[in-house]
Amino acid sequence: MRDRGFRTIVAVLVGLAVIYFGVTGHRSNGGQGGLSGGVVLLALLAALLVWWLLKPGAAK
């Protein structure tokens, strides 16, 4: 059960990092800034990928 908490925390942090860098990237290019649907979708996909990659292996 401890692995699930770690996976959750890391997945949330990755999602937040994608959102942060997606929003700051828009501002640095002279855009209005703000959160677009594409950035949210990318953050969700990144979080799900991290969640899947960190799943524990089969016990031997």
Side-chain angles (χ1 to χ4, degrees):
M1 198 55 131
R2 184 174 160 206
D3 290 335
R4 184 173 180 209
F6 175 73
R7 289 171 62 197
T8 303
I9 290 171
V10 172
V12 168
L13 289 176
V14 165
L16 290 174
V18 168
I19 289 173
Y20 173 76
F21 287 115
V23 170
T24 58
H26 283 282
R27 271 191 261 146
S28 67
N29 290 336
Q32 296 286 348
L35 192 60
S36 68
V39 172
V40 172
L41 182 62
L42 186 63
L44 180 62
L45 290 175
L48 288 174
L49 178 65
V50 167
W51 176 265
W52 182 74
L53 288 175
L54 291 179
K55 68 181 175 184
K60 293 183 178 185

Short mmCIF file of all heavy atoms in Angstrom, two decimals:
data_model
loop_
_atom_site.label_atom_id
_atom_site.label_comp_id
_atom_site.label_asym_id
_atom_site.label_seq_id
_atom_site.Cartn_x
_atom_site.Cartn_y
_atom_site.Cartn_z
N MET A 1 0.83 -1.19 0.00
CA MET A 1 0.00 0.00 0.00
C MET A 1 0.87 1.26 0.00
O MET A 1 0.47 2.29 -0.48
CB MET A 1 -0.91 -0.04 1.22
CG MET A 1 -2.07 0.88 1.09
SD MET A 1 -2.99 0.56 -0.40
CE MET A 1 -4.60 0.48 0.21
N ARG A 2 2.07 1.14 0.53
CA ARG A 2 2.96 2.29 0.58
C ARG A 2 3.38 2.72 -0.83
O ARG A 2 3.55 3.90 -1.11
CB ARG A 2 4.19 1.93 1.40
CG ARG A 2 5.13 3.07 1.59
CD ARG A 2 6.24 2.69 2.52
NE ARG A 2 7.35 3.60 2.31
CZ ARG A 2 8.59 3.31 2.55
NH1 ARG A 2 8.91 2.15 3.06
NH2 ARG A 2 9.54 4.18 2.33
N ASP A 3 3.52 1.75 -1.74
CA ASP A 3 3.89 2.06 -3.12
C ASP A 3 2.82 2.90 -3.80
O ASP A 3 3.13 3.77 -4.62
CB ASP A 3 4.10 0.77 -3.92
CG ASP A 3 5.34 0.02 -3.49
OD1 ASP A 3 6.26 0.67 -2.95
OD2 ASP A 3 5.39 -1.20 -3.68
N ARG A 4 1.57 2.65 -3.47
CA ARG A 4 0.49 3.40 -4.11
C ARG A 4 0.56 4.88 -3.73
O ARG A 4 0.33 5.74 -4.58
CB ARG A 4 -0.85 2.81 -3.70
CG ARG A 4 -1.99 3.47 -4.41
CD ARG A 4 -3.29 2.77 -4.12
NE ARG A 4 -4.36 3.44 -4.84
CZ ARG A 4 -5.59 3.49 -4.45
NH1 ARG A 4 -5.94 2.87 -3.34
NH2 ARG A 4 -6.50 4.11 -5.14
N GLY A 5 0.87 5.18 -2.49
CA GLY A 5 1.00 6.58 -2.07
C GLY A 5 2.15 7.27 -2.77
O GLY A 5 2.04 8.42 -3.20
N PHE A 6 3.26 6.56 -2.91
CA PHE A 6 4.43 7.12 -3.60
C PHE A 6 4.10 7.37 -5.06
O PHE A 6 4.42 8.43 -5.61
CB PHE A 6 5.61 6.16 -3.48
CG PHE A 6 6.82 6.59 -4.25
CD1 PHE A 6 7.59 7.65 -3.82
CD2 PHE A 6 7.18 5.93 -5.42
CE1 PHE A 6 8.70 8.06 -4.54
CE2 PHE A 6 8.29 6.33 -6.14
CZ PHE A 6 9.05 7.38 -5.70
N ARG A 7 3.43 6.40 -5.70
CA ARG A 7 3.04 6.56 -7.10
C ARG A 7 2.11 7.75 -7.28
O ARG A 7 2.23 8.51 -8.25
CB ARG A 7 2.34 5.30 -7.60
CG ARG A 7 3.25 4.12 -7.77
CD ARG A 7 2.48 2.85 -8.05
NE ARG A 7 1.73 2.93 -9.29
CZ ARG A 7 0.74 2.11 -9.60
NH1 ARG A 7 0.36 1.18 -8.75
NH2 ARG A 7 0.11 2.23 -10.74
N THR A 8 1.19 7.92 -6.36
CA THR A 8 0.24 9.03 -6.45
C THR A 8 0.95 10.37 -6.33
O THR A 8 0.69 11.29 -7.12
CB THR A 8 -0.83 8.90 -5.35
OG1 THR A 8 -1.48 7.65 -5.48
CG2 THR A 8 -1.85 10.01 -5.44
N ILE A 9 1.84 10.48 -5.36
CA ILE A 9 2.56 11.74 -5.15
C ILE A 9 3.41 12.09 -6.36
O ILE A 9 3.40 13.23 -6.84
CB ILE A 9 3.42 11.66 -3.87
CG1 ILE A 9 2.52 11.64 -2.64
CG2 ILE A 9 4.40 12.82 -3.79
CD1 ILE A 9 3.25 11.35 -1.36
N VAL A 10 4.13 11.12 -6.89
CA VAL A 10 5.00 11.38 -8.04
C VAL A 10 4.16 11.73 -9.27
O VAL A 10 4.50 12.66 -10.01
CB VAL A 10 5.92 10.17 -8.31
CG1 VAL A 10 6.68 10.35 -9.61
CG2 VAL A 10 6.89 9.98 -7.16
N ALA A 11 3.05 11.04 -9.47
CA ALA A 11 2.19 11.34 -10.62
C ALA A 11 1.61 12.75 -10.52
O ALA A 11 1.56 13.48 -11.52
CB ALA A 11 1.07 10.30 -10.72
N VAL A 12 1.18 13.15 -9.34
CA VAL A 12 0.64 14.50 -9.16
C VAL A 12 1.73 15.55 -9.39
O VAL A 12 1.49 16.57 -10.05
CB VAL A 12 0.01 14.65 -7.76
CG1 VAL A 12 -0.29 16.10 -7.45
CG2 VAL A 12 -1.26 13.82 -7.66
N LEU A 13 2.91 15.31 -8.89
CA LEU A 13 4.01 16.25 -9.08
C LEU A 13 4.39 16.38 -10.56
O LEU A 13 4.67 17.49 -11.04
CB LEU A 13 5.22 15.84 -8.25
CG LEU A 13 5.10 16.03 -6.75
CD1 LEU A 13 6.34 15.49 -6.04
CD2 LEU A 13 4.88 17.49 -6.41
N VAL A 14 4.39 15.29 -11.28
CA VAL A 14 4.70 15.34 -12.71
C VAL A 14 3.62 16.12 -13.45
O VAL A 14 3.92 16.96 -14.31
CB VAL A 14 4.85 13.91 -13.28
CG1 VAL A 14 4.81 13.92 -14.80
CG2 VAL A 14 6.14 13.29 -12.80
N GLY A 15 2.36 15.88 -13.11
CA GLY A 15 1.28 16.63 -13.74
C GLY A 15 1.38 18.12 -13.47
O GLY A 15 1.21 18.95 -14.37
N LEU A 16 1.69 18.48 -12.24
CA LEU A 16 1.84 19.90 -11.89
C LEU A 16 3.04 20.52 -12.60
O LEU A 16 3.00 21.68 -13.01
CB LEU A 16 1.97 20.06 -10.38
CG LEU A 16 0.70 19.79 -9.58
CD1 LEU A 16 0.99 19.86 -8.08
CD2 LEU A 16 -0.39 20.77 -9.96
N ALA A 17 4.13 19.75 -12.75
CA ALA A 17 5.30 20.27 -13.44
C ALA A 17 4.99 20.53 -14.91
O ALA A 17 5.41 21.55 -15.47
CB ALA A 17 6.46 19.28 -13.31
N VAL A 18 4.24 19.63 -15.54
CA VAL A 18 3.88 19.84 -16.94
C VAL A 18 3.01 21.08 -17.07
O VAL A 18 3.19 21.89 -17.98
CB VAL A 18 3.16 18.59 -17.50
CG1 VAL A 18 2.53 18.87 -18.84
CG2 VAL A 18 4.14 17.43 -17.61
N ILE A 19 2.07 21.25 -16.16
CA ILE A 19 1.21 22.45 -16.20
C ILE A 19 2.05 23.71 -15.99
O ILE A 19 1.89 24.70 -16.71
CB ILE A 19 0.09 22.34 -15.15
CG1 ILE A 19 -0.92 21.29 -15.59
CG2 ILE A 19 -0.60 23.69 -14.94
CD1 ILE A 19 -1.97 20.97 -14.56
N TYR A 20 2.95 23.68 -15.02
CA TYR A 20 3.78 24.86 -14.74
C TYR A 20 4.62 25.25 -15.96
O TYR A 20 4.63 26.41 -16.38
CB TYR A 20 4.69 24.58 -13.55
CG TYR A 20 5.68 25.69 -13.31
CD1 TYR A 20 5.28 26.89 -12.72
CD2 TYR A 20 7.01 25.56 -13.68
CE1 TYR A 20 6.18 27.92 -12.51
CE2 TYR A 20 7.92 26.58 -13.48
CZ TYR A 20 7.50 27.76 -12.90
OH TYR A 20 8.38 28.78 -12.71
N PHE A 21 5.33 24.27 -16.52
CA PHE A 21 6.19 24.59 -17.65
C PHE A 21 5.38 24.90 -18.91
O PHE A 21 5.82 25.67 -19.75
CB PHE A 21 7.19 23.46 -17.91
CG PHE A 21 8.27 23.40 -16.87
CD1 PHE A 21 8.39 22.32 -16.03
CD2 PHE A 21 9.17 24.45 -16.73
CE1 PHE A 21 9.38 22.28 -15.06
CE2 PHE A 21 10.17 24.42 -15.78
CZ PHE A 21 10.27 23.32 -14.94
N GLY A 22 4.20 24.34 -19.04
CA GLY A 22 3.34 24.67 -20.16
C GLY A 22 2.84 26.09 -20.09
O GLY A 22 2.79 26.81 -21.09
N VAL A 23 2.49 26.53 -18.91
CA VAL A 23 1.98 27.89 -18.74
C VAL A 23 3.12 28.91 -18.84
O VAL A 23 2.98 29.94 -19.50
CB VAL A 23 1.24 28.03 -17.39
CG1 VAL A 23 0.92 29.48 -17.09
CG2 VAL A 23 -0.03 27.21 -17.41
N THR A 24 4.25 28.65 -18.24
CA THR A 24 5.37 29.61 -18.31
C THR A 24 5.96 29.66 -19.70
O THR A 24 6.48 30.69 -20.11
CB THR A 24 6.47 29.28 -17.29
OG1 THR A 24 6.95 27.96 -17.52
CG2 THR A 24 5.96 29.42 -15.87
N GLY A 25 5.87 28.58 -20.46
CA GLY A 25 6.35 28.59 -21.84
C GLY A 25 5.52 29.50 -22.71
O GLY A 25 6.04 30.19 -23.58
N HIS A 26 4.21 29.54 -22.47
CA HIS A 26 3.34 30.44 -23.23
C HIS A 26 3.68 31.89 -22.93
O HIS A 26 3.71 32.72 -23.82
CB HIS A 26 1.87 30.19 -22.86
CG HIS A 26 1.30 28.98 -23.50
ND1 HIS A 26 0.91 28.95 -24.80
CD2 HIS A 26 1.06 27.74 -23.02
CE1 HIS A 26 0.44 27.76 -25.10
NE2 HIS A 26 0.53 26.99 -24.02
N ARG A 27 3.94 32.20 -21.67
CA ARG A 27 4.23 33.59 -21.30
C ARG A 27 5.56 34.05 -21.85
O ARG A 27 5.71 35.19 -22.24
CB ARG A 27 4.24 33.73 -19.77
CG ARG A 27 2.87 34.05 -19.23
CD ARG A 27 2.95 34.45 -17.80
NE ARG A 27 2.60 33.29 -17.00
CZ ARG A 27 3.11 32.98 -15.84
NH1 ARG A 27 4.00 33.75 -15.30
NH2 ARG A 27 2.74 31.91 -15.20
N SER A 28 6.55 33.17 -21.90
CA SER A 28 7.87 33.59 -22.38
C SER A 28 7.87 33.85 -23.88
O SER A 28 8.72 34.56 -24.38
CB SER A 28 8.92 32.54 -22.02
OG SER A 28 8.68 31.35 -22.75
N ASN A 29 6.92 33.29 -24.60
CA ASN A 29 6.84 33.51 -26.04
C ASN A 29 5.98 34.73 -26.39
O ASN A 29 5.62 34.92 -27.55
CB ASN A 29 6.27 32.27 -26.75
CG ASN A 29 7.24 31.12 -26.72
OD1 ASN A 29 8.43 31.33 -26.60
ND2 ASN A 29 6.74 29.92 -26.84
N GLY A 30 5.60 35.52 -25.42
CA GLY A 30 4.83 36.71 -25.69
C GLY A 30 3.34 36.47 -25.73
O GLY A 30 2.58 37.34 -26.11
N GLY A 31 2.90 35.28 -25.34
CA GLY A 31 1.48 34.96 -25.35
C GLY A 31 0.77 35.56 -24.14
O GLY A 31 1.36 36.24 -23.30
N GLN A 32 -0.51 35.32 -24.06
CA GLN A 32 -1.31 35.85 -22.97
C GLN A 32 -1.06 35.12 -21.66
O GLN A 32 -1.35 35.63 -20.60
CB GLN A 32 -2.80 35.72 -23.32
CG GLN A 32 -3.22 36.53 -24.52
CD GLN A 32 -3.29 38.01 -24.19
OE1 GLN A 32 -3.24 38.41 -23.03
NE2 GLN A 32 -3.38 38.82 -25.22
N GLY A 33 -0.55 33.93 -21.72
CA GLY A 33 -0.44 33.12 -20.52
C GLY A 33 -1.76 32.41 -20.28
O GLY A 33 -2.73 32.63 -20.98
N GLY A 34 -1.81 31.58 -19.33
CA GLY A 34 -3.05 30.88 -19.05
C GLY A 34 -2.92 29.40 -19.36
O GLY A 34 -1.92 28.93 -19.89
N LEU A 35 -3.95 28.70 -19.02
CA LEU A 35 -3.94 27.25 -19.12
C LEU A 35 -4.84 26.82 -20.27
O LEU A 35 -6.03 27.11 -20.29
CB LEU A 35 -4.47 26.68 -17.79
CG LEU A 35 -4.30 25.21 -17.52
CD1 LEU A 35 -2.83 24.83 -17.54
CD2 LEU A 35 -4.88 24.87 -16.17
N SER A 36 -4.26 26.13 -21.23
CA SER A 36 -5.05 25.66 -22.37
C SER A 36 -5.45 24.21 -22.16
O SER A 36 -4.89 23.50 -21.31
CB SER A 36 -4.25 25.80 -23.67
OG SER A 36 -3.17 24.90 -23.67
N GLY A 37 -6.39 23.78 -22.93
CA GLY A 37 -6.85 22.40 -22.83
C GLY A 37 -5.77 21.40 -23.21
O GLY A 37 -5.70 20.30 -22.67
N GLY A 38 -4.91 21.78 -24.15
CA GLY A 38 -3.83 20.90 -24.56
C GLY A 38 -2.82 20.66 -23.45
O GLY A 38 -2.31 19.54 -23.29
N VAL A 39 -2.54 21.69 -22.68
CA VAL A 39 -1.60 21.55 -21.57
C VAL A 39 -2.20 20.65 -20.49
O VAL A 39 -1.50 19.80 -19.93
CB VAL A 39 -1.21 22.92 -20.98
CG1 VAL A 39 -0.39 22.78 -19.73
CG2 VAL A 39 -0.46 23.75 -22.01
N VAL A 40 -3.47 20.80 -20.23
CA VAL A 40 -4.13 19.95 -19.24
C VAL A 40 -4.13 18.50 -19.69
O VAL A 40 -3.84 17.59 -18.91
CB VAL A 40 -5.58 20.44 -18.98
CG1 VAL A 40 -6.33 19.47 -18.11
CG2 VAL A 40 -5.56 21.82 -18.35
N LEU A 41 -4.42 18.26 -20.97
CA LEU A 41 -4.41 16.90 -21.50
C LEU A 41 -3.02 16.30 -21.44
O LEU A 41 -2.85 15.13 -21.06
CB LEU A 41 -4.93 16.90 -22.94
CG LEU A 41 -5.04 15.55 -23.61
CD1 LEU A 41 -6.02 14.65 -22.87
CD2 LEU A 41 -5.45 15.70 -25.05
N LEU A 42 -2.01 17.08 -21.78
CA LEU A 42 -0.63 16.61 -21.72
C LEU A 42 -0.23 16.28 -20.29
O LEU A 42 0.45 15.29 -20.03
CB LEU A 42 0.31 17.66 -22.32
CG LEU A 42 1.77 17.27 -22.47
CD1 LEU A 42 1.89 16.10 -23.43
CD2 LEU A 42 2.57 18.44 -22.97
N ALA A 43 -0.65 17.11 -19.33
CA ALA A 43 -0.34 16.85 -17.93
C ALA A 43 -1.01 15.57 -17.45
O ALA A 43 -0.40 14.77 -16.73
CB ALA A 43 -0.79 18.03 -17.07
N LEU A 44 -2.25 15.35 -17.86
CA LEU A 44 -2.96 14.14 -17.48
C LEU A 44 -2.29 12.90 -18.07
O LEU A 44 -2.09 11.90 -17.37
CB LEU A 44 -4.41 14.22 -17.94
CG LEU A 44 -5.29 13.03 -17.62
CD1 LEU A 44 -5.41 12.84 -16.11
CD2 LEU A 44 -6.66 13.19 -18.24
N LEU A 45 -1.90 12.98 -19.33
CA LEU A 45 -1.21 11.85 -19.96
C LEU A 45 0.14 11.58 -19.31
O LEU A 45 0.52 10.42 -19.12
CB LEU A 45 -1.06 12.11 -21.46
CG LEU A 45 -2.34 12.07 -22.27
CD1 LEU A 45 -2.05 12.47 -23.71
CD2 LEU A 45 -2.98 10.70 -22.21
N ALA A 46 0.87 12.61 -18.96
CA ALA A 46 2.17 12.44 -18.31
C ALA A 46 1.99 11.80 -16.93
O ALA A 46 2.75 10.90 -16.55
CB ALA A 46 2.89 13.78 -18.19
N ALA A 47 0.97 12.24 -16.19
CA ALA A 47 0.72 11.67 -14.87
C ALA A 47 0.32 10.20 -14.97
O ALA A 47 0.78 9.36 -14.18
CB ALA A 47 -0.35 12.47 -14.15
N LEU A 48 -0.51 9.88 -15.95
CA LEU A 48 -0.91 8.47 -16.13
C LEU A 48 0.27 7.60 -16.56
O LEU A 48 0.38 6.45 -16.13
CB LEU A 48 -2.04 8.39 -17.15
CG LEU A 48 -3.39 8.90 -16.68
CD1 LEU A 48 -4.38 8.89 -17.84
CD2 LEU A 48 -3.91 8.08 -15.51
N LEU A 49 1.14 8.16 -17.39
CA LEU A 49 2.33 7.41 -17.81
C LEU A 49 3.23 7.12 -16.62
O LEU A 49 3.72 5.99 -16.45
CB LEU A 49 3.09 8.19 -18.88
CG LEU A 49 4.38 7.53 -19.38
CD1 LEU A 49 4.06 6.23 -20.11
CD2 LEU A 49 5.14 8.48 -20.28
N VAL A 50 3.44 8.11 -15.77
CA VAL A 50 4.28 7.90 -14.58
C VAL A 50 3.62 6.89 -13.64
O VAL A 50 4.28 6.02 -13.09
CB VAL A 50 4.54 9.24 -13.86
CG1 VAL A 50 5.11 9.03 -12.48
CG2 VAL A 50 5.46 10.10 -14.69
N TRP A 51 2.31 7.00 -13.47
CA TRP A 51 1.57 6.06 -12.62
C TRP A 51 1.78 4.63 -13.13
O TRP A 51 2.03 3.71 -12.37
CB TRP A 51 0.09 6.43 -12.62
CG TRP A 51 -0.78 5.49 -11.86
CD1 TRP A 51 -1.47 4.44 -12.37
CD2 TRP A 51 -1.05 5.50 -10.47
NE1 TRP A 51 -2.16 3.81 -11.38
CE2 TRP A 51 -1.92 4.43 -10.20
CE3 TRP A 51 -0.63 6.31 -9.42
CZ2 TRP A 51 -2.38 4.15 -8.93
CZ3 TRP A 51 -1.10 6.03 -8.15
CH2 TRP A 51 -1.97 4.97 -7.91
N TRP A 52 1.69 4.44 -14.46
CA TRP A 52 1.83 3.11 -15.04
C TRP A 52 3.27 2.61 -14.95
O TRP A 52 3.51 1.44 -14.67
CB TRP A 52 1.37 3.15 -16.49
CG TRP A 52 1.43 1.81 -17.16
CD1 TRP A 52 0.59 0.76 -16.97
CD2 TRP A 52 2.40 1.39 -18.12
NE1 TRP A 52 0.98 -0.29 -17.76
CE2 TRP A 52 2.09 0.07 -18.48
CE3 TRP A 52 3.49 2.02 -18.71
CZ2 TRP A 52 2.84 -0.65 -19.39
CZ3 TRP A 52 4.22 1.31 -19.63
CH2 TRP A 52 3.90 -0.02 -19.96
N LEU A 53 4.25 3.49 -15.18
CA LEU A 53 5.65 3.08 -15.14
C LEU A 53 6.12 2.72 -13.74
O LEU A 53 7.06 1.92 -13.59
CB LEU A 53 6.53 4.19 -15.72
CG LEU A 53 6.46 4.39 -17.22
CD1 LEU A 53 7.30 5.60 -17.63
CD2 LEU A 53 6.93 3.14 -17.97
N LEU A 54 5.51 3.29 -12.72
CA LEU A 54 5.95 3.02 -11.35
C LEU A 54 5.18 1.90 -10.66
O LEU A 54 5.36 1.70 -9.46
CB LEU A 54 5.84 4.30 -10.51
CG LEU A 54 6.81 5.41 -10.85
CD1 LEU A 54 6.57 6.61 -9.96
CD2 LEU A 54 8.25 4.93 -10.71
N LYS A 55 4.37 1.18 -11.42
CA LYS A 55 3.62 0.09 -10.78
C LYS A 55 4.60 -0.98 -10.32
O LYS A 55 5.61 -1.27 -10.98
CB LYS A 55 2.57 -0.47 -11.71
CG LYS A 55 3.10 -1.22 -12.90
CD LYS A 55 1.96 -1.72 -13.75
CE LYS A 55 2.53 -2.36 -15.00
NZ LYS A 55 1.51 -2.79 -15.91
N PRO A 56 4.33 -1.57 -9.17
CA PRO A 56 5.24 -2.58 -8.64
C PRO A 56 5.21 -3.84 -9.51
O PRO A 56 4.18 -4.19 -10.09
CB PRO A 56 4.72 -2.87 -7.25
CG PRO A 56 3.36 -2.30 -7.20
CD PRO A 56 3.24 -1.28 -8.27
N GLY A 57 6.36 -4.50 -9.58
CA GLY A 57 6.44 -5.73 -10.36
C GLY A 57 5.81 -6.90 -9.60
O GLY A 57 5.43 -6.79 -8.43
N ALA A 58 5.70 -7.99 -10.26
CA ALA A 58 5.12 -9.20 -9.64
C ALA A 58 6.06 -9.74 -8.57
O ALA A 58 7.27 -9.78 -8.74
CB ALA A 58 4.85 -10.24 -10.70
N ALA A 59 5.49 -10.14 -7.46
CA ALA A 59 6.29 -10.71 -6.37
C ALA A 59 6.72 -12.12 -6.75
O ALA A 59 5.95 -12.90 -7.28
CB ALA A 59 5.47 -10.74 -5.08
N LYS A 60 7.97 -12.42 -6.48
CA LYS A 60 8.50 -13.76 -6.84
C LYS A 60 8.73 -14.57 -5.60
O LYS A 60 9.06 -14.17 -4.59
CB LYS A 60 9.78 -13.64 -7.62
CG LYS A 60 9.55 -13.03 -8.97
CD LYS A 60 10.84 -13.00 -9.76
CE LYS A 60 10.58 -12.45 -11.14
NZ LYS A 60 11.73 -12.49 -11.98
#
